[in-house]
Amino acid sequence: MSVEVTDETSAFALPPLIEARAARAPRAVCATLPNGLDTLVVRRPTVPMVEVRLRITLPAANRATAAATTARGSLMSSSMLFGTAQRGQEQLANDLAAVGADLSVSADADRLLLSTAVLRTGLSTVLDLLAEIVTSASYPSAEVSAERDRLGQRIAMALTQPGVVAGMARSRRLFGDHPYAQTMPDPAVVAGLEAGTLRRTHRERVRPYGATLVVVGDVQPATVVRQATSAFADWGGPAGRSRVLALPDFDPVGITLLDRPGAVQSNVRIGGAAVGRSDLDYAALKLANLIFGGYFSSRLTENLRERNGFTYSPHSGIDNAAAGSMFLVDADVASEVTARAVHETWYELGRMALAPVTQGELDLARRYALGTLALSTATQAGLASTLSSLAGQGLSPSWLAGHQKAVAGVTVSDVQEVSRRYLSVSSLATVVVGDAALVEDSLLSLAAVRAPE
Amino acid sequence: MPVRVPSLPAHPLHRLTLDNGLRVVLAPDSTAPVIAVAVYYDVGMRSEPAGRTGFAHLFEHVMFQGSAHLPKLEHARQVQGSGGVFNGSTHLDYTNYFEVLPAGALERALFCEADRMAAPLLTQETIDNQIDVVKEEIRVNVLNRPYGAFPWLQLPEVLYDTFANTHNGYGDFVDLESATAQDAAQFFDSYYAPSNAVLAVGGDFEVEQATEWVQRYFGRVAARATPARPQFGEPALTEDRHAVVVDPLASTPALAIGWRVPDPVDDFTGFLPYVVLSELMSDSDASRLEQRLIHRDHLAIQQAMYLGLFGDPFDARDATALMFQAHHGSHISAAQLCDAVDDELQSVAAGGVNDSELARVQARIAAQLLRQADPVLGRTQSFAAGELIHGRAEFATELPGRLADVDAESVAAAAAELHAAHTAVLELKPGAGA
């Protein structure tokens, strides 16, 4: 019997991990074009495609104009492809589709992002069309007016989604009157926008200085730099405004409760200040976040989901924006266990801040962080988006190698120190969206309940 | 001047069938030091019996609850602690489990998948826990939000007749709550036999080494009877159908239309023009419906036309459908939208598709397929699904060529069929109470 047991044990022992050959660090060719546009090209010929990201900084000028800036950015992004000096909406759409491109434009509080994939054979066409768009987007009045109505309806639809409402409530709590509180355009401000305003804003703000063009795929980098130099030669203008407003302090005391009568679930949202990618503590905070709630093998998932069945997909993360980074926790939980879920989440935060994690937990999170970094930059699209996002924070591709090194060196005490600073319950704000009649009394057992901002 | 459309890099495929019947596809490719493992079981929502709605999906959750040599949570820790990511998903005709990892973790990933193919832990405690988790999943995706699971959960009731095709694949709470460990054991025994599954491995590995590991870990899973696969096809609609759902959480109306289309497997050649047609109608700003419904007539806020309930034309057998959905303002009627969509179909049917339009659509299709094939997981999943649904992993590499060969006449003919066919229309109306 013992022989059999031994055989059984070895035959079913976990196979070892073999050290894989290291992922090739992306060799990026960087060039600043004569007009100031920073260009970054990586040859990655895995499929005969090219990924393109054009990021244009567009921060709000001040607190007073935040709502207007958000509304303008949103309508500009959804109207930017309605035509140029040379072609109308349909012609532009046809010319993009003909090279396999599906250009999208998005806006957030920091930037506009034009993003597409394109067949290798169509890259120069896409660069020419991008240049045409940034230099001469026409914002035709009738089309903008129709889009303004659709945008208003899309905002109204979004405002019925509890996850959206909860995210907005947390942003208002954390950011007060800072532009980052404007996660959704105000429908009333959108309704007042005119095409002329968009044209003027585009002329004044869509500028090459501070913008970054990222091209990743089946390309020859030197050729792409030449093509981009020629395509964007007529895009100019002086350096624009790029200063971002500092984030305000917020009052972390008490639970914000936003009543949603009839809700069968509560959206728990927690947040507080964190450090960004350029900070020395970032690698440790990233691992602390993973151990707490940043992946499936986290304490939060084990507790809320796998032990208690309170929720489907609890998670935490670090959100990196130009003005600062935030640590965020999300969980959508059954109404009847809302306060218990908040309590367990706070308990796990407290445990992170007060007691060391185990070496095993740290090693698991570290291998996950390093492995998934390699996975996410193994594809053309993943690498392009990563490089564009880094550029948005003024970081070069070499940040990736430095970050890997920093992650490799994080210790248990590093994790505890950053947890004490950034994961303490006392420094985080908690917001709950749910049926107040069902959840308010039990939440009061945990903390004072406050009205939404 | 249409661009030359580049083709997919060739990935050599190796296949074997183990003694226990497991079909294996190996797709080596050393462009990046990563691998993907995908196990596809030939059972999905359509195989659930009455009284057990949602069971295929619940069982997918339970497959992550430990196995003979990996206690609860250990599967996730093994994969993530190797630097990888994992997930599973339940479809109409199959349930899949997959992970993507650094290349050095291949043997461990194979061990983990084989361990739960041999003997998942099916205890009442973990089943009860996952029933709670699934109920929260349903609340977050369906019950606590507007337009929850619209239209994939509601349109089949209008479009089809049989229980297999019409029932709620997420599951009624009553059915979910009564699920037992014994049900799970029976379901596993019936449907999770190795001969009812496909294993695909893609990425950076040596074929000989991978074959040895596959034999070692999966070869010891005991053979069981392969379940008979029922036919889920239904005859064409014989009349137009129409239904209304009221969504108290919604702010604006929505509309879904379903058309029955040819058998995507047995009549693959007849099915392909519908794939090209759906792209021509709805993909990108240049498409017919985007131009008509959004830009020209201002009838919709957003629109989409696609094949298959979940938007993947190739992941289901018969019966499958062409779907259209739109959100629209309250001042626009469902009939106006239906008429406009039908008018565009008729325009393709009667007016045809010119060369430059077809070239644009073909360029977009090629670009989307190439983009999907870039991640090792996308490639590996398409091989597994090709092998399971179409009986040929090569299906995935042949598809771009087959779609590129679809000509204008067959696209117009497909549009004519749809224009003449009966439809299933579902209106979603905002408002309180039905």
Side-chain angles (χ1 to χ4, degrees):
Chain A
M1 287 300 283
S2 66
V3 172
E4 263 186 59
V5 171
T6 308
D7 280 345
E8 170 90 356
T9 307
S10 63
F12 287 96
L14 266 178
L17 292 178
I18 299 164
E19 201 59 42
R21 71 182 163 88
R24 282 189 297 272
R27 274 204 307 276
V29 172
C30 307
T32 301
L33 306 188
N35 62 1
L37 173 64
D38 280 322
T39 303
L40 220 160
V41 191
V42 179
R43 173 168 170 76
R44 186 60 78 82
T46 44
V47 287
M49 294 287 295
V50 188
E51 296 281 342
V52 182
R53 307 283 182 274
L54 178 58
R55 170 183 290 262
I56 299 160
T57 53
L58 199 69
N62 56 56
R63 286 162 163 55
T65 57
T69 306
T70 305
R72 277 201 304 268
S74 186
L75 188 57
M76 268 173 71
S77 67
S78 61
S79 305
M80 197 180 282
L81 304 182
F82 287 174
T84 64
Q86 285 86 350
R87 59 200 92 205
Q89 187 274 335
E90 187 169 5
Q91 188 62 48
L92 179 59
N94 286 349
D95 293 345
L96 285 164
V99 291
D102 188 16
L103 181 61
S104 68
V105 188
S106 67
D108 69 15
D110 292 330
R111 51 74 178 151
L112 284 166
L113 182 67
L114 287 78
S115 175
T116 191
V118 57
L119 295 167
R120 173 183 64 195
T121 42
L123 177 63
S124 64
T125 304
V126 154
L127 293 176
D128 288 344
L129 290 173
L130 278 174
E132 198 176 298
I133 291 161
V134 293
T135 55
S136 76
S138 57
Y139 301 99
S141 300
E143 282 89 334
V144 168
S145 160
E147 177 60 21
R148 185 181 57 206
D149 295 344
R150 286 191 295 267
L151 177 59
Q153 287 176 303
R154 288 201 300 272
I155 294 168
M157 279 167 57
L159 292 176
T160 61
Q161 297 286 354
V164 171
V165 172
M168 290 169 67
R170 172 170 60 194
S171 292
R172 284 196 303 273
R173 173 94 188 259
L174 294 177
F175 301 123
D177 60 356
H178 187 274
Y180 283 4
Q182 299 278 330
T183 49
M184 183 69 65
D186 180 337
V189 181
V190 168
L193 286 173
E194 299 293 339
T197 312
L198 302 191
R199 280 180 224 126
R200 197 182 62 242
T201 306
H202 186 107
R203 269 199 314 276
E204 289 170 0
R205 305 296 302 276
V206 178
R207 296 274 174 80
Y209 275 97
T212 313
L213 174 70
V214 172
V215 178
V216 176
D218 192 356
V219 295
Q220 299 298 340
T223 310
V224 176
V225 171
R226 253 196 330 272
Q227 286 171 329
T229 306
S230 145
F232 290 100
D234 292 337
W235 190 24
R241 190 172 40 227
S242 62
R243 192 177 61 88
V244 290
L245 296 167
L247 294 178
D249 290 329
F250 64 90
D251 170 16
V253 177
I255 299 170
T256 298
L257 175 59
L258 199 158
D259 189 17
R260 191 164 171 268
V264 295
Q265 204 174 39
S266 299
N267 311 97
V268 178
R269 297 292 184 271
I270 297 174
V275 289
R277 286 166 168 150
S278 53
D279 196 285
L280 286 176
D281 282 340
Y282 184 72
L285 182 60
K286 182 166 165 170
L287 296 183
N289 168 62
L290 285 175
I291 294 166
F292 167 72
Y295 69 152
F296 194 90
S297 299
S298 65
R299 294 176 173 190
L300 191 68
T301 300
E302 179 170 358
N303 182 331
L304 291 191
R305 172 178 157 131
E306 295 295 306
R307 197 154 61 233
N308 284 303
F310 290 164
T311 175
Y312 169 54
S313 184
H315 56 276
S316 67
I318 304 164
D319 184 55
N320 291 302
S325 295
M326 305 303 288
F327 171 70
L328 304 173
V329 187
D330 294 13
D332 299 333
V333 305
S335 295
E336 62 273 18
V337 297
T338 302
R340 287 177 62 198
V342 170
H343 174 67
E344 291 294 337
T345 306
W346 285 2
Y347 163 77
E348 294 296 355
L349 287 165
R351 202 152 73 89
M352 290 295 299
L354 298 173
V357 300
T358 68
Q359 188 66 43
E361 283 178 301
L362 176 58
D363 291 341
L364 195 82
R366 191 195 323 272
R367 286 196 300 269
Y368 178 78
L370 294 174
T372 50
L373 190 68
L375 293 179
S376 67
T377 54
T379 61
Q380 294 176 348
L383 183 59
S385 293
T386 300
L387 295 181
S388 178
S389 161
L390 287 174
Q393 294 175 296
L395 299 171
S396 75
S398 66
W399 180 88
L400 289 168
H403 177 62
Q404 279 175 307
K405 225 168 126 185
V407 166
V410 170
T411 65
V412 166
S413 64
D414 294 339
V415 170
Q416 192 175 353
E417 177 57 21
V418 294
S419 297
R420 192 183 59 74
R421 268 186 277 159
Y422 303 107
L423 272 61
S424 287
V425 180
S426 60
S427 64
L428 299 167
T430 299
V431 174
V432 173
V433 175
D435 190 335
L438 296 176
V439 306
E440 183 164 16
D441 282 351
S442 51
L443 287 175
L444 281 166
S445 310
L446 297 177
V449 167
R450 46 195 278 176
E453 274 68 20
Chain B
M1 22 93 248
V3 292
R4 194 171 52 77
V5 174
S7 60
L8 195 67
H11 294 285
L13 293 181
H14 304 260
R15 358 151 48 109
L16 59 148
T17 302
L18 305 190
D19 290 344
N20 57 20
L22 178 67
R23 286 156 287 167
V24 182
V25 179
L26 303 175
D29 162 30
S30 59
T31 50
V34 295
I35 55 102
V37 172
V39 181
Y40 279 50
Y41 294 93
D42 201 336
V43 58
M45 298 173 189
R46 288 207 261 223
S47 293
E48 293 161 355
R52 281 288 165 264
T53 59
F55 201 85
H57 173 240
L58 175 64
F59 192 81
E60 176 227 306
H61 276 242
V62 175
M63 283 288 278
F64 290 94
Q65 295 290 305
S67 51
H69 302 89
L70 296 166
K72 172 162 169 150
L73 297 176
E74 201 54 29
H75 181 89
R77 286 184 185 136
Q78 288 307 327
V79 174
Q80 295 190 317
S82 304
V85 297
F86 68 90
N87 213 335
S89 60
T90 310
H91 301 242
L92 292 179
D93 292 321
Y94 65 85
T95 307
N96 64 8
Y97 303 85
F98 48 87
E99 38 277 319
V100 192
L101 297 131
L106 173 58
E107 187 184 2
R108 187 169 289 189
L110 294 171
F111 174 92
C112 292
E113 283 300 348
D115 204 49
R116 64 176 164 186
M117 180 180 283
L121 289 181
L122 306 172
T123 69
Q124 195 61 45
E125 185 189 351
T126 58
I127 289 169
D128 288 344
N129 165 245
Q130 291 304 307
I131 290 169
D132 285 343
V133 171
V134 166
K135 282 163 70 177
E136 292 316 306
E137 180 179 353
I138 294 170
R139 285 185 174 126
V140 75
N141 286 334
V142 185
L143 302 176
N144 198 43
R145 71 191 301 173
Y147 315 104
F150 181 84
W152 77 263
L153 217 48
Q154 303 93 345
L155 187 61
E157 286 186 60
V158 191
L159 183 64
Y160 298 119
D161 292 311
T162 63
F163 175 82
N165 287 324
T166 58
H167 78 268
N168 175 352
Y170 245 149
D172 297 325
F173 278 16
V174 174
D175 288 356
L176 287 171
E177 284 163 359
S178 65
T180 66
Q182 199 187 342
D183 295 331
Q186 213 163 50
F187 191 82
F188 174 76
D189 194 53
S190 303
Y191 293 115
Y192 276 64
S195 53
N196 203 38
V198 167
L199 164 69
V201 183
D204 191 11
F205 60 84
E206 299 293 335
V207 170
E208 206 173 314
Q209 176 67 83
T211 304
E212 187 200 319
W213 286 334
V214 167
Q215 294 278 13
R216 185 186 309 167
Y217 298 115
F218 286 91
R220 64 193 179 196
V221 180
R224 300 201 298 282
T226 312
R229 195 171 61 229
Q231 300 291 317
F232 297 119
E234 294 191 27
L237 294 181
T238 53
E239 78 289 313
D240 284 338
R241 297 181 178 183
H242 182 261
V244 176
V245 287
V246 175
D247 185 342
L249 301 177
S251 58
T252 54
L255 170 75
I257 309 175
W259 296 259
R260 305 273 283 278
V261 292
D263 185 323
V265 180
D266 289 349
D267 187 13
F268 181 56
T269 304
F271 178 74
L272 281 175
Y274 291 83
V275 180
V276 178
L277 177 65
S278 71
E279 299 282 320
L280 178 142
M281 291 293 282
S282 175
D283 167 72
S284 91
D285 283 348
S287 66
R288 299 264 183 137
L289 291 177
E290 190 74 11
Q291 286 296 322
R292 171 78 180 267
L293 305 181
I294 308 289
H295 294 295
R296 200 178 325 144
D297 288 359
H298 304 159
L299 291 175
I301 302 163
Q302 49 202 35
Q303 63 78 30
M305 181 179 270
Y306 49 93
L307 278 159
L309 283 192
F310 304 108
D312 181 346
F314 306 108
D315 85 335
R317 302 189 179 100
D318 204 28
T320 189
L322 179 74
M323 315 271 286
F324 168 79
Q325 70 174 104
H327 295 272
H328 59 96
S330 308
H331 61 292
I332 303 295
S333 73
Q336 275 175 286
L337 263 169
C338 287
D339 288 349
V341 171
D342 187 55
D343 193 49
E344 287 301 318
L345 285 173
Q346 196 188 359
S347 153
V348 175
V353 182
N354 69 33
D355 290 348
S356 64
E357 185 177 21
L358 187 63
R360 281 199 302 272
V361 172
Q362 296 286 17
R364 281 287 305 145
I365 290 174
Q368 291 175 73
L369 289 170
L370 288 168
R371 202 170 192 237
Q372 279 165 28
D374 191 24
V376 63
L377 179 63
R379 287 196 302 275
T380 307
Q381 288 185 316
S382 68
F383 292 135
E387 183 72 20
L388 191 88
I389 300 285
H390 295 270
R392 302 176 46 112
E394 293 80 0
F395 171 87
T397 36
E398 294 163 359
L399 184 59
R402 292 297 304 269
L403 283 166
D405 285 343
V406 172
D407 61 20
E409 289 69 33
S410 57
V411 175
E417 289 285 338
L418 294 174
H419 171 62
H422 294 291
T423 56
V425 173
L426 180 64
E427 289 182 58
L428 180 147
K429 294 188 173 175

